[in-house]
Amino acid sequence: MEIKVDKSLYSKQVLLKTAYSFSDRAYLHLSQDNQSWIICWTDMPDQQVKPEMFENELISQQLREELLEKTKDVRTLILSRAFASSAMQIRSDTSEQLPDNEDLDEAVDAAGILKGWFDS
């Protein structure tokens, strides 16, 4: 089976993610010309991959890619906040508990790390 899809609609990364999702059901070969990605496959025994299935998965992967790009700043902010809160919590806990001669590793405990952001 073979299909061609427009390069202007789907990125290489989207194509590879889509192809990977079918790698357990078909033997795939990817190539390209100037305007299109060319996807050829042979179904594995007892499997059937229809062109429509591949095209639907391309659309799903493209939408995921676009949503990831649009939410990148928010996700970065959330992760930064989470790591910053943990680091600040460890510092404030250890600065009160550590005598001058103890290692930092001994002072960090799970209870201090696992506190919520807004818990005091």
Side-chain angles (χ1 to χ4, degrees), residues 22-37:
F22 284 92
S23 64
D24 62 337
R25 295 176 269 173
Y27 302 105
L28 296 139
H29 175 75
L30 306 175
S31 59
Q32 62 182 322
D33 60 24
N34 289 338
Q35 294 87 22
S36 302
W37 300 113

Side-chain angles (χ1 to χ4, degrees), residues 9-26:
L9 294 175
Y10 304 106
S11 68
K12 182 179 178 181
Q13 184 173 357
V14 166
L15 176 70
L16 291 173
K17 286 180 180 181
T18 302
Y20 180 74
S21 71
F22 284 92
S23 64
D24 62 337
R25 295 176 269 173

Side-chain angles (χ1 to χ4, degrees), residues 81 85 89 114-120:
R81 175 68 171 106
S85 295
Q89 186 66 41
L114 299 175
K115 286 184 184 176
W117 290 359
F118 303 106
D119 295 344
S120 54

Side-chain angles (χ1 to χ4, degrees), residues 17 63-72 75:
K17 286 180 180 181
L63 180 59
R64 284 188 183 107
E65 188 77 16
E66 290 178 19
L67 288 173
L68 279 172
E69 185 60 35
K70 287 182 181 181
T71 60
K72 184 171 87 173
R75 288 181 291 109

